[in-house]
Amino acid sequence: MRKIFVVLSLIITSFVCNTAKADGGMWLPMLLYMNESDMQAKGMKISAKDIYDVNNASLKDAVMLFGSGCTGEFVSNEGLLFTNHHCGYSYIVKHSTVEHDYLTNGFVAQSKAEELPCPGLTITLLKYMKDVTKEVLEGVDNSLNEIQRKTLIQSNIDNIINKEIKNTHYTAIVKPIYYGNQYIMYVNEVFKDVRLVAAPPSNIGKFGGDTDNWMWPRHTGDFSVFRVYANKDNKPASFSKDNVPYTPKKFMTISLKEKNEGDFTFVFGYPGTTRQFLTSFAVDEVQNYEDPIRIKLRTEVLKVYNQAMNESPAKRLRYASNVASIANGWKKWQGEVKGLKFLNAIEKKKDFEQNYTDIIPQFQKLYSDNHSYKLREIYLGEAVLASQMMKQARQVLSLISTSNSEATDEEVSALATSLLKSLKTYYANDFSSQRIVDSTIFVKTMLIFYNDFAKNNYTFLRERISKNYKGNAEKYFGEVFSKTLLTNPKKIEQILSNYKKKDSKKLLKDASIELLSPIWGEYFSSDVYYLSENNNRIDSLYRIYVAQIMQIEKGKMFYPDANLTLRVAYGNISSFKPRDGVTYKHYTTLEGIVEKENPEIYDYVVENKLKELYNNKDYGQYANSLGEMPVAFIASNHTTGGNSGSPVMDKDGYLIGINFDRNWEGTMSDILYDKDLCRNISLDIRYCLFIIDKFLDAKHLIKELNIVR
């Protein structure tokens, strides 16, 4: 690859101050030299170039986007990688059956031949990034309206990307930062042959379950192991038995050294979304409307799933992924609301906004106008489409719409066949049991939707329930579920197996479609358009607002909001005080797992072999200086979703942990970071290796690693 020398725009350098110190933040690797002195003052011994260097191997070559929303890191020269157990969760579930329950019992490939392919899983490696602001904004001026502006910008971006990756196997993406005041291009290499190598039992990888999720102290062994394969030229290739383990330009050196209070650490990964510039009106929406609605609805859904999962191992396996995806946001939002209130975030934002009185009233009007439309969107996603049946009904609506269009009979038939295949998945594996679970979810969430919102916003629904059911909404929703063809496999299969356009009339009369169609239709005929238009206005206003902030506060260092691109966050290992009279130590140990054991609660079952290792204090080289087996530690690194699986490194750039969570009290850090309250939670690499070595007995994997003591 040719050498690439990045020329920084004047815009970027005007947004930061070389001598400023940062508390929190997720920093662009290519600009990390601006943070270097601050990082070294906090204890770092390596240079910014050791972390990110375009022309030489650096730590950035060992860090990857795992799938579409996590991070992973190479730990051997044979493409072996570590990420979180919850990042690999769905692939572990897909390979699990009741007979070979890898989710419950764990998995280890004893040789490369036994490693399990994961179709659909990709690994994305950043080759380089560069500022393309000037090229993206070529021809953009104040004479353009927002639609014209976006159209021209997208055209410029397409041209930039095409020119950059022409005649290469790379992919590229251009993303805005600072609300479109700047643009960065990321050129990547995407690997498609990724295989599962090892995973601990769920009683280790998910110990504490949803109860402990987002909490500290934490005792979760949240890791899984995969391997990337490439063709014989070490280039990306689709799965093939002829592929060989990928040889990365760089892989992590692992340190077993002690971790002490105050030690420097940094996290290198792909944080998903932060919103540090939100106005007080936006924070009010999040704190008092959006999060509480989502929490209320997901609470009911989780109650139903958890009750079913406790009935049998088969049901636990069936609903595990559903619960994991639903519960993560549910718990996070609770902490976010709590943290925003504790920090008095709305008032702090209002105080800050007094310096921008010319633009703030415009935000106030736009957020006020958006309010009811935003609530409709939330209720649609979290209530109306909460059940699997209504998700299928949405697909039926698409089929009906296509049937009434100019689509060919072949196109309509193909869509019907695809829908039938999806429905058969819905019906599979003891549908009578699934029907009960789904019916309960449907009725409970729709009742909340009706009583809290729809009664006053959907006239057709209020009149239908009032006139035909004497106001008994529960009875109405119960009948919808019992009468819909979507819960009658034989009848719906008769229609779809030989579907013709005229059959759409039968589907239109279905109980679920009669309910969903007007709600869906209103949303897409007016709500989506209005939300899109209003959000465009809000975004353009933020672009002006952020530029004003950075001009007025030139002495302050501003990081670009996270957008699922590679970033560096740094801080120190640090205890914290969540409330009066309580101080949390900076690390946990295996002793805490034994203390939490409760055989009656699935999330707190401790594996017998793990207890045996504990009782014998058989920790090998992984114990700390006190003879304890460390499990997790906390630090003041600013992280968010997407940082799951990120490598946590020490002052020498050695891997010391795998980031997997934040503390509950600090989840508002996506909006407002507080250095005294916000902590990232990491799996101690010593516990990870201890489980691989002593529990899974996968010593062949330990031999692949480069370990310093």
Side-chain angles (χ1 to χ4, degrees), residues 73 75 80-85 107-108 198-201 204-205 219-226 254-256 259 588-590 593 610 613 619 621-623 629-633 645-648 655-660 682-699 701-702 705 707:
E73 55 274 354
V75 291
L80 197 70
L81 70 91
F82 287 166
T83 188
N84 285 154
H85 181 267
F107 169 76
V108 177
I204 291 175
H219 298 86
T220 309
D222 197 348
F223 77 92
S224 54
V225 186
F226 291 78
I254 297 173
S255 173
L256 303 183
K259 301 168 184 63
T588 59
T589 68
L590 182 53
I593 293 176
L610 188 60
L613 290 166
Y619 305 149
Q621 63 180 328
Y622 309 112
M629 184 62 251
V631 172
F633 64 93
S646 294
V648 184
L655 182 66
I656 59 172
I658 305 172
N659 184 82
F660 69 90
S682 304
L683 174 68
D684 194 308
I685 202 65
R686 292 173 290 186
Y687 187 62
C688 172
L689 300 187
F690 163 74
I691 294 297
I692 292 172
D693 187 348
K694 296 285 187 174
F695 185 91
L696 296 176
D697 197 26
K699 291 178 171 53
L701 298 180
I702 298 295
L705 311 176
I707 300 173

Side-chain angles (χ1 to χ4, degrees), residues 573-624:
I573 292 176
S574 179
S575 56
F576 77 106
K577 298 179 180 180
R579 53 191 174 274
D580 184 49
V582 177
T583 299
Y584 284 137
K585 193 166 65 172
H586 66 276
Y587 73 99
T588 59
T589 68
L590 182 53
E591 183 176 354
I593 293 176
V594 176
E595 289 174 351
K596 283 183 175 180
E597 181 183 18
N598 186 339
E600 303 300 316
I601 301 175
Y602 181 84
D603 290 335
Y604 294 106
V605 172
V606 179
E607 295 284 331
N608 288 330
K609 186 174 180 179
L610 188 60
K611 284 191 287 186
E612 181 181 334
L613 290 166
Y614 169 77
N615 290 330
N616 295 332
K617 299 296 182 284
D618 185 7
Y619 305 149
Q621 63 180 328
Y622 309 112
N624 66 15

Side-chain angles (χ1 to χ4, degrees), residues 6-31:
V6 178
V7 179
L8 304 178
S9 74
L10 292 175
I11 301 177
I12 283 186
T13 54
S14 71
F15 282 178
V16 296
C17 174
N18 289 351
T19 59
K21 293 184 178 181
D23 287 320
M26 301 167 184
W27 307 97
L28 290 171
M30 73 177 188
L31 298 180

Side-chain angles (χ1 to χ4, degrees), residues 10 31 92 107 161 229 275 452 503 550 590 602 658:
L10 292 175
L31 298 180
I92 301 168
F107 169 76
I161 289 175
Y229 282 76
R275 299 179 288 173
D452 291 4
D503 293 326
M550 291 176 168
L590 182 53
Y602 181 84
I658 305 172

Side-chain angles (χ1 to χ4, degrees), residues 138 346 443 651:
E138 180 72 33
I346 296 173
V443 173
K651 63 183 180 180

